[in-house]
């Protein structure tokens, strides 16, 4: 810590023996040792407190980053839920209008062929399926089985 060698300690000891005297030197050395021990314990406790505070601050920053990422993910999910909700409400309104037979308010047609199509009733085949709409699994499953067991697949092997 202070880079004191043995020769310097001998010089300090001889000076202390001369100045303090042989009767009080052991008591002074003992007191100096206790004070040095207290100082070392105090320095170690300050060092551990600083280390603990640094770790606590790192945890706070990690927690804040985690909280921000959760909030951003929650807002993204909320936006998607709102989009799906508005889409479903629109689809329900279109289905109810198709069932009740009342035409939907639409913009004025810009092409001459659209005006003729407006007055025709909509059928089930007029609606295009949504990309996330589920497919009939039985027909897909049988098509996959037929494809897998076809004679052409055995020739490729």
């Amino acid at each position: 810590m202070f880079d004191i060698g043995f020769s310097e300690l001998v010089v300090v000891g001889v000076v202390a023996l001369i100045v303090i005297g042989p009767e009080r030197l052991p008591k002074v050395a003992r007191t100096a040792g206790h004070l040095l021990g207290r100082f070392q314990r105090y320095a170690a406790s300050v060092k551990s407190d600083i280390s603990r505070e640094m770790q606590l601050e790192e945890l706070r920053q990690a927690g804040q980053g985690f909280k921000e990422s959760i909030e951003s993910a929650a807002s993204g999910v909320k936006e998607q839920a709102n989009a799906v909700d508005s889409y479903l409400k629109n689809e329900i309104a279109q289905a109810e209008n198709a069932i009740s037979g009342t035409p939907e308010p639409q913009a004025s047609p810009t092409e001459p062929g659209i005006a003729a199509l407006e007055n025709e009733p909509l059928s089930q085949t007029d609606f295009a399926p949504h990309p996330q709409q589920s497919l009939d699994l039985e027909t897909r499953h049988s098509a996959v089985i037929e494809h897998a067991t076809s004679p052409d697949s055995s020739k490729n092997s």
Side-chain angles (χ1 to χ4, degrees):
M1 181 164 112
F2 292 110
D3 195 30
I4 297 174
F6 183 71
S7 61
E8 286 105 5
L9 284 176
V10 169
V11 170
V12 168
V14 169
V15 170
L17 183 62
I18 294 171
V19 173
I20 296 174
E23 300 96 31
R24 290 188 296 169
L25 183 62
K27 189 181 268 187
V28 170
R30 191 176 309 120
T31 305
H34 286 300
L35 290 176
L36 183 63
R38 283 184 190 172
F39 175 75
Q40 286 178 345
R41 284 190 297 275
Y42 176 74
S45 70
V46 168
K47 191 176 182 180
S48 67
D49 286 345
I50 290 172
S51 174
R52 194 174 315 124
E53 287 295 323
M54 289 173 57
Q55 289 175 349
L56 187 60
E57 184 61 32
E58 288 174 0
L59 286 175
R60 283 184 189 137
Q61 289 176 353
Q64 184 66 25
F66 182 71
K67 181 181 176 183
E68 289 172 359
S69 67
I70 292 296
E71 287 174 351
S72 68
S75 67
V77 167
K78 190 173 185 178
E79 289 175 8
Q80 290 296 323
N82 289 339
V84 168
D85 187 40
S86 64
Y87 174 77
L88 290 176
K89 285 180 182 179
N90 187 19
E91 290 295 317
I92 289 172
Q94 286 180 356
E96 287 175 351
N97 288 340
I99 290 172
S100 66
T102 57
E104 265 184 49
Q106 295 180 350
S108 63
T110 56
E111 297 179 19
I114 295 178
L117 292 175
E118 281 185 345
N119 296 331
E120 293 180 18
L122 297 174
S123 68
Q124 185 67 20
T125 58
D126 290 338
F127 293 106
H130 188 270
Q132 294 179 347
Q133 183 178 2
S134 64
L135 301 173
D136 184 16
L137 294 178
E138 291 180 12
T139 56
R140 286 186 53 86
H141 182 66
S142 62
V144 169
I145 291 174
E146 289 174 7
H147 179 70
T149 59
S150 67
D152 295 337
S153 65
S154 63
K155 291 178 183 178
N156 292 338
S157 301

